[in-house]
């Protein structure tokens, strides 16, 4: 029953995340236009980072309210492989990941119904812009960097939550800029699946290879490298009692 409850929470949170994400670009455009800085890329990126930080903070709180729900299978894999989610298992992930994918579909379908026509050009979702293998490498690499940065920031970075989220937002915006000419990037299989479903290529090998298999590999590799670079401190063994 606990796994089913977690899967429902994941589906709800993922649908809200996918629904909400396009508004980040819309709000950036509105604020940039209001301030008259549309032509200044560094300023618009700063605005995007600020909005992304608030967004992630809100969803972190929502995830807590929903009992530890997650909207990204890649980060779940990274934390599990790093040994930081003892309550997770391969069985629970086998239930929760499809729920997240279903939530992605619900979110993508919902935003298509309510987004104003002048902003509908933002509703494309991740897409492959290079050949298949180049895209797979790019998506795996960006997911690796994202997951490694997530582990580093949360475990070795500053202790202040808002500063952690700001650093994570800076990393995400940088990766989106870097990977935009390759795969989007998504770095989130559930988000990619949702948009692939509404664009009718959700059942293709390209989607699963580029946006599921390679991100999972990148997330596992990020966790392994993190554990190698920052090994957990060894616990002292209990001394044997002296023989009488």
């Amino acid at each position: 029953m606990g796994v089913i409850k977690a899967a429902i929470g994941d589906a709800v949170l993922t649908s809200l995340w996918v629904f909400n994400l396009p508004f980040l670009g819309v709000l950036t455009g509105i604020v940039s236009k209001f301030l008259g800085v549309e032509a200044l890329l560094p300023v618009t990126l700063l605005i995007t980072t600020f909005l992304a930080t608030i967004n992630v903070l809100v969803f972190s709180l929502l995830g807590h309210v929903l009992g530890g729900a997650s909207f990204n299978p890649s980060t779940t894999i990274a934390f599990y492989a790093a040994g930081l989610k003892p309550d997770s298992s391969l069985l629970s992930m086998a239930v929760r990941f499809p729920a997240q994918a279903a939530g992605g579909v619900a979110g993508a379908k919902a935003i298509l119904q309510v987004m104003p026509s002048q902003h509908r050009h933002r509703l494309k979702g991740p897409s492959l812009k290079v050949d298949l293998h180049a895209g797979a490498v790019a998506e795996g690499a960006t997911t690796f960097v994202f997951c490694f940065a997530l582990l580093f920031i949360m475990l070795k970075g500053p202790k202040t939550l808002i500063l952690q989220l700001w650093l994570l937002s800076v990393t995400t915006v940088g990766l989106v800029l870097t990977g935009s000419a390759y795969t989007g990037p998504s770095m989130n299989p559930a988000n990619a699946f949702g948009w692939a479903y509404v664009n009718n290529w959700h059942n293709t090998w390209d989607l699963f290879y580029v946006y599921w298999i390679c991100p999972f590999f990148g997330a596992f590799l990020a966790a392994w490298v993190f554990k190698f670079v920052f090994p957990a401190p060894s616990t002292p063994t209990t001394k044997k009692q002296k023989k009488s």
Side-chain angles (χ1 to χ4, degrees), residues 111-179:
I111 191 61
L112 283 170
Q113 301 302 315
V114 301
M115 180 64 81
S117 57
Q118 65 268 31
H119 299 301
R120 291 181 70 85
H121 64 280
R122 300 182 183 276
L123 302 180
K124 297 179 181 178
S127 61
L128 193 59
K129 302 177 179 67
V130 292
D131 70 80
L132 183 63
H133 298 301
V137 171
E139 190 67 19
T142 52
T143 305
F144 167 82
V145 174
F146 174 75
C147 289
F148 185 87
L150 174 66
L151 292 169
F152 180 82
I153 291 168
M154 292 302 177
L155 299 178
K156 301 295 181 180
K159 302 302 179 185
T160 307
L161 176 61
I162 194 67
L163 188 53
Q164 290 178 338
L165 298 179
W166 181 78
L167 289 172
L168 187 59
S169 296
V170 170
T171 303
T172 304
V173 171
L175 289 171
V176 169
L177 282 176
T178 304

Side-chain angles (χ1 to χ4, degrees), residues 4-21:
I4 301 301
K5 183 179 179 180
I8 294 172
D10 285 357
V12 172
L13 191 66
T14 307
S15 65
L16 292 174
W17 175 259
V18 175
F19 177 87
N20 157 83
L21 203 56

Side-chain angles (χ1 to χ4, degrees), residues 24 28 31 43-57 162 165-166 169-170 173:
L24 194 60
T28 297
V31 174
V43 180
T44 58
L45 290 178
L46 186 62
I47 293 169
T48 301
T49 303
F50 174 75
L51 294 173
T53 302
I54 296 175
N55 196 43
V56 176
L57 175 61
I162 194 67
L165 298 179
W166 181 78
S169 296
V170 170
V173 171

Side-chain angles (χ1 to χ4, degrees), residues 205-229:
W205 165 247
D206 291 9
L207 172 74
F208 285 99
Y209 176 44
V210 175
Y211 292 102
W212 282 90
I213 296 173
C214 289
F216 279 2
F217 178 78
F220 267 116
L221 185 61
W224 184 86
V225 171
F226 182 84
K227 288 170 66 176
F228 180 79
V229 176

Side-chain angles (χ1 to χ4, degrees), residues 65-124:
V65 170
L66 291 170
S70 171
F71 55 82
N72 189 342
S74 295
T75 57
T76 301
I77 287 284
F79 280 111
Y80 171 76
L84 301 174
K85 289 185 74 70
D87 56 330
S88 293
S89 66
L90 293 177
L91 178 60
S92 68
M93 287 187 283
V95 175
R96 296 178 68 175
F97 289 173
Q100 291 173 6
V105 172
K109 282 192 166 187
I111 191 61
L112 283 170
Q113 301 302 315
V114 301
M115 180 64 81
S117 57
Q118 65 268 31
H119 299 301
R120 291 181 70 85
H121 64 280
R122 300 182 183 276
L123 302 180
K124 297 179 181 178

